[in-house]
Amino acid sequence: RNCFPPAGLVTGKPAVVVAASGSGLLGNTALDFVTPYMQCILGFMGIKDVQTVFVNGTATGAARALIEAASIQVSGILNALI
């Protein structure tokens, strides 16, 4: 997603965005403003390959397990990039 016409200077680089929400509003909901914002900012810099990891429900008792699962997911993404 490119919100700005100028071409960014950081091209050909991937990015991983980790976004956490206490309630679970991230992802495919109309209330998720984080994902489009980060894609726009990174796109402005020239980064088009953006992968997002969501950690929804961190305000619940399962927060530790959710964070550990997200950490494993991020590790997998980073290992694939190396």
Coordinates of all heavy atoms in Angstrom, one line a residue:
R1 N 0.9 -1.2 0.0 CA 0.0 0.0 0.0 C 0.9 1.2 0.0 O 1.8 1.4 0.9 CB -0.9 -0.1 1.2 CG -1.7 1.1 1.4 CD -2.6 1.0 2.6 NE -3.3 2.2 2.8 CZ -4.4 2.3 3.5 NH1 -4.9 1.2 4.0 NH2 -5.0 3.4 3.6
N2 N 0.7 2.1 -0.9 CA 1.5 3.3 -1.0 C 0.5 4.5 -0.8 O -0.3 4.8 -1.7 CB 2.2 3.4 -2.3 CG 3.2 4.5 -2.4 OD1 3.4 5.2 -1.4 ND2 3.8 4.7 -3.5
C3 N 0.7 5.3 0.2 CA -0.2 6.4 0.5 C 0.4 7.7 0.0 O -0.3 8.7 0.0 CB -0.4 6.5 2.0 SG -1.1 5.1 2.8
F4 N 1.6 7.7 -0.5 CA 2.3 8.9 -0.9 C 2.9 8.7 -2.3 O 3.4 7.6 -2.6 CB 3.4 9.3 0.1 CG 2.9 9.5 1.4 CD1 3.0 8.6 2.4 CD2 2.4 10.7 1.8 CE1 2.6 8.8 3.7 CE2 1.9 11.0 3.1 CZ 2.0 10.0 4.0
P5 N 2.8 9.7 -3.2 CA 3.3 9.5 -4.5 C 4.9 9.4 -4.6 O 5.3 8.6 -5.5 CB 2.9 10.8 -5.3 CG 2.0 11.5 -4.4 CD 2.1 10.9 -3.0
P6 N 5.6 10.1 -3.8 CA 7.1 9.9 -4.0 C 7.6 8.5 -3.7 O 7.0 7.8 -2.8 CB 7.7 10.9 -3.0 CG 6.6 11.3 -2.1 CD 5.3 10.9 -2.7
A7 N 8.7 8.2 -4.3 CA 9.3 6.9 -4.1 C 10.2 6.9 -2.9 O 11.0 7.9 -2.8 CB 10.1 6.4 -5.3
G8 N 10.1 6.0 -2.0 CA 11.0 5.9 -0.8 C 12.4 5.5 -1.2 O 12.6 4.9 -2.2
L9 N 13.3 5.7 -0.3 CA 14.7 5.4 -0.5 C 15.1 4.1 0.0 O 16.2 3.6 -0.3 CB 15.6 6.5 0.1 CG 15.4 7.9 -0.4 CD1 16.2 8.9 0.4 CD2 15.7 8.0 -1.9
V10 N 14.2 3.4 0.8 CA 14.6 2.1 1.4 C 13.8 1.1 0.6 O 12.7 0.7 1.0 CB 14.2 2.0 2.9 CG1 14.6 0.7 3.5 CG2 14.8 3.2 3.7
T11 N 14.3 0.6 -0.5 CA 13.6 -0.4 -1.3 C 14.3 -1.7 -1.2 O 15.5 -1.8 -0.9 CB 13.6 0.1 -2.8 OG1 15.0 0.3 -3.2 CG2 12.9 1.4 -2.9
G12 N 13.5 -2.7 -1.5 CA 14.0 -4.1 -1.5 C 14.3 -4.7 -0.1 O 15.0 -5.7 0.0
K13 N 13.8 -4.0 0.9 CA 14.0 -4.5 2.3 C 12.7 -5.0 2.9 O 11.6 -4.3 2.6 CB 14.6 -3.4 3.2 CG 15.9 -2.8 2.8 CD 17.0 -3.8 3.0 CE 18.3 -3.2 2.6 NZ 19.4 -4.2 2.7
P14 N 12.6 -6.1 3.6 CA 11.4 -6.5 4.2 C 11.2 -5.8 5.6 O 12.2 -5.3 6.2 CB 11.6 -8.0 4.4 CG 13.1 -8.2 4.5 CD 13.7 -7.1 3.7
A15 N 10.0 -5.9 6.1 CA 9.8 -5.4 7.5 C 8.8 -6.3 8.2 O 7.9 -6.9 7.5 CB 9.2 -4.0 7.4
V16 N 8.9 -6.4 9.5 CA 8.0 -7.2 10.3 C 7.4 -6.2 11.3 O 8.2 -5.6 12.1 CB 8.7 -8.4 11.0 CG1 7.7 -9.2 11.8 CG2 9.4 -9.3 10.0
V17 N 6.1 -6.1 11.4 CA 5.4 -5.3 12.3 C 4.8 -6.2 13.3 O 4.0 -7.1 12.9 CB 4.4 -4.4 11.6 CG1 3.6 -3.6 12.7 CG2 5.1 -3.5 10.7
V18 N 5.1 -6.0 14.6 CA 4.4 -6.8 15.7 C 3.5 -5.8 16.4 O 3.9 -4.8 16.9 CB 5.4 -7.4 16.7 CG1 4.7 -8.2 17.7 CG2 6.4 -8.3 15.9
A19 N 2.2 -6.1 16.3 CA 1.2 -5.2 16.9 C 0.4 -6.0 17.9 O -0.1 -7.1 17.7 CB 0.2 -4.7 15.8
A20 N 0.2 -5.4 19.1 CA -0.5 -6.1 20.2 C -1.7 -5.3 20.6 O -1.7 -4.0 20.5 CB 0.4 -6.2 21.4
S21 N -2.8 -6.0 21.0 CA -4.0 -5.3 21.4 C -4.5 -6.1 22.6 O -4.6 -7.4 22.6 CB -5.0 -5.4 20.3 OG -6.3 -5.0 20.8
G22 N -4.9 -5.4 23.6 CA -5.5 -6.1 24.8 C -6.9 -6.7 24.5 O -7.2 -7.7 25.1
S23 N -7.6 -6.2 23.5 CA -8.9 -6.7 23.3 C -9.0 -7.6 22.1 O -9.9 -8.4 22.1 CB -9.9 -5.5 23.1 OG -9.4 -4.7 22.0
G24 N -8.3 -7.4 21.1 CA -8.4 -8.3 19.9 C -8.9 -7.5 18.7 O -9.6 -8.1 17.8
L25 N -8.7 -6.2 18.6 CA -9.2 -5.4 17.5 C -8.3 -5.4 16.3 O -8.7 -4.8 15.2 CB -9.5 -4.0 17.9 CG -10.5 -3.9 19.1 CD1 -10.6 -2.4 19.5 CD2 -11.9 -4.4 18.6
L26 N -7.1 -6.0 16.4 CA -6.2 -5.9 15.2 C -6.5 -7.0 14.2 O -7.0 -8.1 14.5 CB -4.8 -6.1 15.8 CG -4.3 -5.0 16.7 CD1 -2.9 -5.3 17.3 CD2 -4.3 -3.6 16.1
G27 N -6.1 -6.7 13.0 CA -6.3 -7.7 11.9 C -7.4 -7.2 11.0 O -7.4 -6.1 10.5
N28 N -8.4 -8.1 10.7 CA -9.4 -7.7 9.8 C -10.6 -7.1 10.4 O -11.8 -7.5 10.1 CB -9.8 -9.0 9.0 CG -8.7 -9.6 8.2 OD1 -7.9 -8.8 7.6 ND2 -8.5 -10.9 8.1
T29 N -10.5 -6.1 11.2 CA -11.6 -5.4 11.7 C -11.6 -3.9 11.3 O -10.5 -3.4 10.9 CB -11.6 -5.4 13.3 OG1 -10.6 -4.6 13.8 CG2 -11.5 -6.8 13.8
A30 N -12.7 -3.3 11.3 CA -12.8 -1.9 10.9 C -12.1 -1.0 11.9 O -11.7 0.2 11.6 CB -14.2 -1.4 10.7
L31 N -11.9 -1.4 13.1 CA -11.2 -0.6 14.1 C -9.7 -0.8 14.2 O -9.1 -0.2 15.0 CB -11.8 -1.0 15.5 CG -13.3 -0.8 15.6 CD1 -13.8 -1.3 17.0 CD2 -13.7 0.7 15.5
D32 N -9.1 -1.5 13.3 CA -7.7 -1.7 13.2 C -7.1 -0.5 12.5 O -7.1 -0.5 11.2 CB -7.3 -3.0 12.6 CG -5.8 -3.2 12.4 OD1 -5.0 -2.4 13.0 OD2 -5.4 -4.1 11.7
F33 N -6.5 0.4 13.2 CA -5.9 1.6 12.5 C -4.4 1.4 12.5 O -3.7 2.1 11.7 CB -6.2 2.9 13.2 CG -5.6 2.9 14.6 CD1 -4.4 3.5 14.9 CD2 -6.3 2.5 15.7 CE1 -3.8 3.5 16.2 CE2 -5.8 2.5 17.0 CZ -4.6 3.0 17.2
V34 N -3.8 0.4 13.2 CA -2.4 0.2 13.3 C -1.8 -0.3 12.0 O -0.8 0.1 11.5 CB -2.0 -0.7 14.5 CG1 -0.6 -1.1 14.5 CG2 -2.4 -0.1 15.8
T35 N -2.5 -1.4 11.4 CA -2.0 -2.0 10.2 C -1.9 -1.1 9.0 O -0.8 -0.9 8.4 CB -2.8 -3.3 9.9 OG1 -2.8 -4.1 11.0 CG2 -2.3 -4.0 8.7
P36 N -3.0 -0.4 8.7 CA -2.9 0.6 7.6 C -1.9 1.7 7.8 O -1.2 2.1 6.9 CB -4.3 1.1 7.4 CG -5.2 0.3 8.2 CD -4.3 -0.5 9.2
Y37 N -1.8 2.2 9.0 CA -0.9 3.2 9.4 C 0.6 2.8 9.2 O 1.4 3.5 8.5 CB -1.1 3.7 10.8 CG -0.1 4.7 11.3 CD1 -0.2 6.1 10.9 CD2 1.0 4.4 12.1 CE1 0.7 7.0 11.3 CE2 1.9 5.3 12.5 CZ 1.8 6.6 12.1 OH 2.7 7.6 12.5
M38 N 0.9 1.6 9.7 CA 2.3 1.1 9.5 C 2.6 0.8 8.1 O 3.7 1.1 7.6 CB 2.5 -0.1 10.4 CG 2.5 0.2 11.9 SD 3.7 1.4 12.4 CE 5.3 0.6 11.9
Q39 N 1.7 0.2 7.3 CA 1.9 0.0 5.9 C 2.1 1.3 5.2 O 3.0 1.4 4.3 CB 0.7 -0.8 5.3 CG 0.7 -2.2 5.7 CD -0.6 -2.9 5.3 OE1 -1.6 -2.3 4.9 NE2 -0.5 -4.2 5.3
C40 N 1.4 2.3 5.5 CA 1.5 3.6 4.9 C 2.9 4.3 5.2 O 3.6 4.7 4.3 CB 0.4 4.6 5.4 SG 0.4 6.1 4.5
I41 N 3.3 4.3 6.5 CA 4.6 4.8 6.8 C 5.7 4.1 6.2 O 6.7 4.7 5.7 CB 4.7 4.9 8.4 CG1 3.7 5.8 9.0 CG2 6.1 5.2 8.8 CD1 3.8 7.2 8.5
L42 N 5.7 2.7 6.3 CA 6.8 1.9 5.7 C 6.8 2.1 4.2 O 7.8 2.1 3.6 CB 6.6 0.5 6.1 CG 6.9 0.2 7.6 CD1 6.4 -1.2 8.0 CD2 8.3 0.4 8.0
G43 N 5.6 2.2 3.6 CA 5.5 2.4 2.1 C 6.1 3.7 1.7 O 6.8 3.9 0.7
F44 N 5.9 4.8 2.6 CA 6.5 6.1 2.3 C 8.0 6.0 2.3 O 8.7 6.6 1.5 CB 6.1 7.1 3.4 CG 6.7 8.4 3.3 CD1 6.3 9.3 2.3 CD2 7.7 8.8 4.2 CE1 6.9 10.5 2.2 CE2 8.3 10.0 4.1 CZ 7.9 10.9 3.1
M45 N 8.6 5.1 3.1 CA 10.0 4.9 3.1 C 10.5 4.0 2.0 O 11.7 4.0 1.7 CB 10.5 4.3 4.5 CG 10.3 5.2 5.6 SD 11.0 4.6 7.2 CE 9.7 3.5 7.7
G46 N 9.6 3.3 1.3 CA 9.9 2.5 0.2 C 9.9 1.0 0.5 O 10.1 0.2 -0.3
I47 N 9.5 0.7 1.7 CA 9.4 -0.7 2.1 C 8.0 -1.3 1.8 O 7.0 -0.8 2.3 CB 9.6 -0.9 3.6 CG1 11.0 -0.4 4.0 CG2 9.4 -2.4 4.1 CD1 11.3 -0.3 5.4
K48 N 8.0 -2.2 0.8 CA 6.7 -2.7 0.3 C 6.4 -4.1 0.9 O 5.3 -4.6 1.0 CB 6.7 -2.8 -1.2 CG 7.0 -1.5 -1.9 CD 5.9 -0.5 -1.7 CE 6.2 0.7 -2.5 NZ 5.7 1.9 -1.9
D49 N 7.5 -4.9 1.2 CA 7.3 -6.2 1.8 C 7.1 -6.2 3.3 O 8.1 -6.2 4.0 CB 8.5 -7.1 1.4 CG 8.5 -8.5 1.9 OD1 7.4 -8.9 2.3 OD2 9.5 -9.2 1.9
V50 N 5.9 -6.1 3.7 CA 5.6 -5.9 5.1 C 4.7 -7.1 5.6 O 3.7 -7.4 5.0 CB 4.8 -4.6 5.4 CG1 4.4 -4.5 6.9 CG2 5.5 -3.4 4.9
Q51 N 5.3 -7.8 6.6 CA 4.5 -8.9 7.3 C 4.1 -8.4 8.6 O 4.9 -7.8 9.4 CB 5.4 -10.1 7.3 CG 5.7 -10.7 6.0 CD 6.5 -12.0 6.1 OE1 6.0 -12.9 6.7 NE2 7.6 -12.1 5.4
T52 N 2.9 -8.7 9.0 CA 2.4 -8.3 10.3 C 2.0 -9.5 11.2 O 1.4 -10.4 10.7 CB 1.1 -7.4 10.1 OG1 1.5 -6.3 9.2 CG2 0.7 -6.8 11.4
V53 N 2.5 -9.4 12.4 CA 2.1 -10.4 13.4 C 1.2 -9.7 14.5 O 1.6 -8.7 15.0 CB 3.4 -11.0 14.1 CG1 3.0 -11.9 15.2 CG2 4.3 -11.7 13.1
F54 N 0.0 -10.3 14.7 CA -0.9 -9.7 15.6 C -0.9 -10.5 16.9 O -0.9 -11.8 16.9 CB -2.3 -9.8 15.0 CG -2.5 -9.0 13.8 CD1 -2.7 -9.6 12.6 CD2 -2.4 -7.6 13.8 CE1 -2.8 -8.9 11.4 CE2 -2.6 -6.9 12.6 CZ -2.7 -7.5 11.4
V55 N -0.9 -9.8 18.0 CA -1.0 -10.4 19.3 C -2.3 -9.8 20.0 O -2.2 -8.8 20.6 CB 0.2 -10.1 20.2 CG1 0.2 -10.9 21.5 CG2 1.5 -10.4 19.5
N56 N -3.4 -10.5 19.7 CA -4.7 -10.0 20.2 C -5.0 -10.7 21.5 O -4.8 -11.9 21.7 CB -5.8 -10.3 19.2 CG -5.7 -9.4 18.0 OD1 -5.7 -8.2 18.2 ND2 -5.7 -9.9 16.8
G57 N -5.6 -9.9 22.4 CA -6.1 -10.5 23.7 C -5.1 -10.5 24.8 O -5.2 -11.3 25.7
T58 N -4.2 -9.5 24.8 CA -3.1 -9.5 25.8 C -3.7 -9.0 27.2 O -3.0 -9.1 28.1 CB -2.0 -8.6 25.4 OG1 -2.5 -7.3 25.1 CG2 -1.3 -9.1 24.2
A59 N -4.9 -8.5 27.2 CA -5.5 -8.1 28.5 C -6.1 -9.3 29.2 O -6.7 -9.2 30.3 CB -6.5 -7.0 28.3
T60 N -6.1 -10.5 28.6 CA -6.7 -11.7 29.2 C -5.6 -12.4 30.0 O -4.4 -12.1 30.0 CB -7.2 -12.6 28.1 OG1 -6.2 -13.1 27.3 CG2 -8.2 -11.8 27.2
G61 N -6.1 -13.5 30.6 CA -5.2 -14.3 31.4 C -4.2 -15.1 30.5 O -3.3 -15.7 31.0
A62 N -4.5 -15.2 29.2 CA -3.7 -16.0 28.3 C -2.6 -15.1 27.6 O -2.0 -15.5 26.6 CB -4.6 -16.6 27.2
A63 N -2.3 -14.0 28.2 CA -1.4 -13.0 27.6 C 0.0 -13.7 27.3 O 0.6 -13.5 26.3 CB -1.2 -11.8 28.4
R64 N 0.5 -14.4 28.4 CA 1.8 -15.0 28.2 C 1.9 -16.0 27.1 O 2.8 -16.0 26.3 CB 2.2 -15.7 29.5 CG 3.6 -16.3 29.5 CD 4.0 -16.9 30.8 NE 4.3 -15.9 31.8 CZ 5.5 -15.4 32.0 NH1 6.5 -15.8 31.3 NH2 5.7 -14.5 32.9
A65 N 0.9 -16.8 27.0 CA 0.9 -17.8 25.9 C 0.7 -17.1 24.5 O 1.4 -17.5 23.5 CB -0.3 -18.8 26.1
L66 N 0.0 -16.0 24.4 CA -0.2 -15.3 23.2 C 1.1 -14.7 22.8 O 1.5 -14.7 21.6 CB -1.3 -14.2 23.3 CG -2.7 -14.8 23.5 CD1 -3.6 -13.6 24.0 CD2 -3.2 -15.4 22.3
I67 N 1.8 -14.1 23.7 CA 3.1 -13.4 23.4 C 4.1 -14.5 23.0 O 4.9 -14.2 22.1 CB 3.6 -12.6 24.6 CG1 2.6 -11.4 24.8 CG2 5.0 -12.1 24.4 CD1 2.8 -10.7 26.1
E68 N 4.1 -15.6 23.7 CA 5.1 -16.7 23.3 C 4.8 -17.2 21.9 O 5.7 -17.4 21.1 CB 5.0 -17.8 24.3 CG 5.7 -17.4 25.6 CD 5.5 -18.5 26.7 OE1 4.9 -19.6 26.4 OE2 6.0 -18.3 27.8
A69 N 3.5 -17.3 21.5 CA 3.1 -17.8 20.2 C 3.5 -16.8 19.2 O 4.0 -17.1 18.1 CB 1.6 -18.1 20.1
A70 N 3.4 -15.5 19.5 CA 3.8 -14.5 18.5 C 5.3 -14.4 18.3 O 5.8 -14.2 17.2 CB 3.3 -13.1 19.0
S71 N 6.0 -14.7 19.4 CA 7.5 -14.7 19.4 C 7.9 -15.8 18.5 O 8.9 -15.7 17.7 CB 8.0 -14.9 20.8 OG 9.4 -15.0 20.7
I72 N 7.3 -17.0 18.6 CA 7.6 -18.1 17.7 C 7.3 -17.8 16.2 O 8.1 -18.1 15.3 CB 6.9 -19.4 18.1 CG1 7.4 -19.8 19.5 CG2 7.0 -20.5 17.1 CD1 6.6 -20.9 20.2
Q73 N 6.2 -17.1 16.0 CA 5.8 -16.7 14.6 C 6.9 -15.7 14.1 O 7.3 -15.8 12.9 CB 4.4 -16.1 14.6 CG 3.9 -15.8 13.3 CD 2.5 -15.3 13.3 OE1 1.9 -15.2 14.4 NE2 2.0 -14.9 12.2
V74 N 7.3 -14.7 14.9 CA 8.3 -13.8 14.4 C 9.6 -14.5 14.1 O 10.3 -14.2 13.1 CB 8.5 -12.6 15.5 CG1 9.7 -11.8 15.1 CG2 7.2 -11.8 15.5
S75 N 10.0 -15.4 15.0 CA 11.2 -16.1 14.7 C 11.2 -16.9 13.4 O 12.2 -16.9 12.7 CB 11.5 -17.1 15.9 OG 11.8 -16.4 17.1
G76 N 10.0 -17.5 13.1 CA 9.9 -18.2 11.8 C 10.0 -17.2 10.7 O 10.7 -17.6 9.6
I77 N 9.4 -16.1 10.8 CA 9.5 -15.1 9.7 C 10.9 -14.6 9.5 O 11.4 -14.6 8.4 CB 8.6 -13.9 10.0 CG1 7.1 -14.3 9.9 CG2 8.9 -12.7 9.0 CD1 6.2 -13.2 10.4
L78 N 11.6 -14.3 10.6 CA 13.0 -13.8 10.5 C 13.9 -14.9 10.0 O 14.8 -14.6 9.2 CB 13.5 -13.3 11.9 CG 12.7 -12.1 12.4 CD1 13.3 -11.7 13.8 CD2 12.9 -10.9 11.4
N79 N 13.7 -16.2 10.4 CA 14.5 -17.2 9.9 C 14.3 -17.4 8.4 O 15.3 -17.8 7.7 CB 14.2 -18.5 10.6 CG 14.8 -18.5 12.0 OD1 15.8 -17.8 12.3 ND2 14.2 -19.3 12.9
A80 N 13.1 -17.2 7.9 CA 12.9 -17.4 6.5 C 13.5 -16.2 5.7 O 13.9 -16.4 4.5 CB 11.4 -17.4 6.2
L81 N 13.8 -15.1 6.3 CA 14.4 -14.0 5.6 C 15.9 -14.1 5.5 O 16.5 -13.5 4.7 CB 14.1 -12.7 6.3 CG 12.6 -12.3 6.3 CD1 12.4 -11.0 7.1 CD2 12.1 -12.0 4.9
I82 N 16.5 -14.9 6.4 CA 18.0 -15.0 6.4 C 18.4 -15.9 5.3 O 18.0 -17.0 5.0 CB 18.4 -15.5 7.8 CG1 18.0 -14.5 8.9 CG2 19.9 -15.7 7.8 CD1 18.3 -15.0 10.3

